[in-house]
Amino acid sequence: MSESGCPPGPAPEPHRIVKRTLRDLTAAELFRQRALVRVDFNVPMEDGRVADATRVEASLPTLRHLLKAEAHPVLLSHLGRPKGTPDPRYSLEPVADVLSSRLGSPVAFGGPADGVDAVAASRALAGGEVLLLENTRFLPGETSDDDTLAERLAELGDFFVNDAFGSMHRAHASTVGVTRHLRPAVAGFLVEAELLALGRLLESPERPFVVALGGAKIADKVELLERFAERADRLLVGGAMANTFLAARGDATGRSLVETDALEAARQIAERAGERLLLPTDVVVAPGPDEGASAEVVGPGEIGEDRAALDIGPRTRERFGAEVAGARTFFWNGPMGLFEREPFQEGTVALARAAGEATDGGAFTVVGGGDSAAAVRRAGMADRVSHVSTGGGAALEYLASGSLPGVEALDDA
Ligand code: ADP
Ligand code: MG
């Protein structure tokens, strides 16, 4: 996303989103109005400091747009998983300084989001100032979407902007409840970009449409697999997920990570996808993750009892790469192997490169999932693919089901 400012260009065609966005609010609707913004500042913390500010930076286009229009941004976010009570380890206070330095504007930290002080602070904001409130998950009614809490949160703004795509699969007080009491309720620019990119995969993707799925959690991804088993022209399956498919068709998988609970699901998905499903034709095996030195390439039926499949092999890399090269639309979730360990990253790196090259050739390419996004970044391809979703679970749920509670709650376009 561009850092220069806002808004980030006109909404790209052909896909349109059905929800109102910040772009749709007039200058008069913004001027000197309090913008209650749900952001995703669920950043990694180390020793009380922000270890990675990517998510803070992702909020800048929306916040700059609001400040330029002389709106008064009041920010809500969660951080970590405190259990409805204050826990200093999860305080958002350190994020205020990080945001201030990135934004180049003063950011006040306002304490508990449900307090009278917070409402007073929101009303006292001067032009160019931002107010960040404390972790919403310190509040007992947040995750249960308590309506009294939702109503109090709604008092913090004159309109609502949801820019926390990664939290939109949760019906919480700060994502859904607040919209019962505060309108307009619109999507911020980060959410808009996610909905445009993911929506294009859901509705009439240009064909061939190739999907690659991998990673470790097949049980979490059954719906995604089912959907793409129907809709994709090619379904490439690698990573530990492939082991479950191999086991489901009767191949020996040795010590490989296999989800025994998902064998029947894998069998049904394989049947539904038929010839469109491609499984590895060779795999990299080793006695364990720490024994990369003795890694070797074998066929899928040849995984020894004391070996684990930890990456796709060279023939599979080439085959999968050729499919991606021929795609007009490509979606990828889940690393092709145990990419955190150097000798098992080649399949993932090769697929990331293929995605980058396909994009150069005019294909529309999207990578989603926490580890997958980290993998394309590590492969240096994050800027070359069309869109890297920061949404994690929300992105996968949106692709699997076509809707999210936080999206449904916003004003219709
Ligand atoms: P995402 O976060 O992108 O949705 P997942 O969380 O499903 O992806 O899976 C990522 C994890 O899967 C990584 O930690 C990776 O090391 C692991 N993984 C991928 N392939 C294998 C494999 N063959 N054996 C063991 N772990 C694997
Ligand atoms: Mg993950």
Side-chain angles (χ1 to χ4, degrees):
M1 183 161 294
S2 87
E3 272 221 35
S4 55
C6 38
E13 296 290 338
H15 185 72
R16 309 183 78 89
I17 57 176
V18 295
K19 290 297 174 176
R20 235 172 144 204
T21 78
L22 186 50
R23 211 181 287 279
D24 300 320
L25 297 185
T26 63
E29 284 175 294
L30 302 178
F31 184 68
R32 293 196 183 159
Q33 299 295 302
R34 292 169 307 151
L36 181 60
V37 190
R38 177 57 161 95
V39 288
D40 178 4
F41 286 172
N42 185 24
V43 292
M45 300 291 291
E46 267 165 32
D47 305 323
R49 296 174 59 100
V50 176
D52 178 346
T54 308
R55 285 183 163 158
V56 175
E57 285 159 6
S59 73
L60 296 180
T62 287
L63 299 182
R64 288 193 174 130
H65 180 79
L66 289 167
L67 290 173
K68 201 169 157 199
E70 292 184 50
H72 303 311
V74 178
L75 313 186
L76 295 176
S77 179
H78 79 284
L79 172 63
R81 291 173 179 255
K83 299 271 175 283
T85 180
D87 179 337
R89 286 174 301 167
Y90 300 110
S91 174
L92 277 169
E93 192 164 4
V95 179
D97 284 343
V98 174
L99 175 61
S100 179
S101 73
R102 298 296 198 281
L103 192 58
S105 305
V107 179
F109 181 70
D114 63 343
V116 274
D117 292 351
V119 176
S122 74
R123 295 196 190 285
L125 277 173
E129 284 178 358
V130 176
L131 178 66
L132 172 65
L133 297 167
E134 186 56 289
N135 196 336
T136 51
R137 290 208 192 163
F138 286 1
L139 308 173
E142 163 69 339
T143 58
S144 59
D145 187 9
D146 176 75
D147 200 52
T148 307
L149 174 62
E151 199 171 358
R152 297 193 78 170
L153 296 179
E155 285 170 28
L156 294 161
D158 300 309
F159 63 95
F160 180 63
V161 180
N162 197 334
D163 213 19
F165 187 70
S167 299
M168 286 180 112
H169 56 322
R170 310 271 186 230
H172 291 174
S174 70
T175 56
V176 169
V178 68
T179 66
R180 291 192 295 267
H181 304 280
L182 187 58
R183 299 279 163 176
V186 301
F189 292 132
L190 178 64
V191 166
E192 181 193 54
E194 292 277 6
L195 294 178
L196 283 168
L198 301 177
R200 205 165 146 180
L201 300 175
L202 286 172
E203 287 164 34
S204 59
E206 205 183 331
R207 295 182 181 273
F209 177 28
V210 177
V211 172
L213 296 175
K217 308 172 291 186
I218 193 171
D220 290 359
K221 298 181 182 177
V222 169
E223 281 156 23
L224 198 67
L225 276 159
E226 282 172 349
R227 185 158 192 132
F228 289 129
E230 299 279 351
R231 300 192 169 200
D233 299 304
R234 279 280 185 231
L235 182 58
L236 317 174
V237 174
M241 183 184 277
N243 301 331
T244 302
F245 278 86
L246 296 176
R249 77 176 185 197
D251 287 355
T253 47
R255 290 184 191 165
S256 308
L257 193 59
V258 170
E259 278 172 75
T260 46
D261 295 352
L263 288 171
E264 186 47 37
R267 226 170 267 131
Q268 285 176 17
I269 288 157
E271 196 176 320
R272 205 181 292 189
E275 308 245 292
R276 287 174 292 124
L277 173 67
L278 296 188
L279 293 175
T281 50
D282 57 353
V283 289
V284 179
V285 298
D290 299 320
E291 285 152 288
S294 53
E296 54 181 343
V297 176
V298 302
E302 303 161 1
I303 302 170
E305 238 174 75
D306 53 355
R307 292 288 185 276
L310 296 168
D311 196 4
I312 56 174
R315 263 194 295 151
T316 307
R317 292 202 295 264
E318 206 161 300
R319 181 74 210 277
F320 284 12
E323 292 293 341
V324 175
R328 293 299 299 164
T329 307
F330 176 56
F331 172 68
W332 177 18
N333 165 258
M336 293 289 105
L338 188 88
F339 76 103
E340 298 91 338
R341 304 291 171 91
E342 171 132 32
F344 309 115
Q345 67 173 5
E346 283 187 50
T348 302
V349 170
L351 204 66
R353 287 213 185 101
E357 281 159 22
T359 319
D360 295 345
F364 178 65
T365 58
V366 178
V367 179
D371 293 291
S372 311
V376 282
R377 260 182 240 126
R378 177 123 47 119
M381 286 289 141
D383 293 332
R384 266 176 81 192
V385 297
S386 309
H387 181 74
V388 178
S389 175
T390 56
L396 302 189
E397 189 173 318
Y398 188 61
L399 287 173
S401 71
S403 77
L404 294 174
V407 176
E408 295 309 309
L410 300 177
D411 294 352
D412 291 326

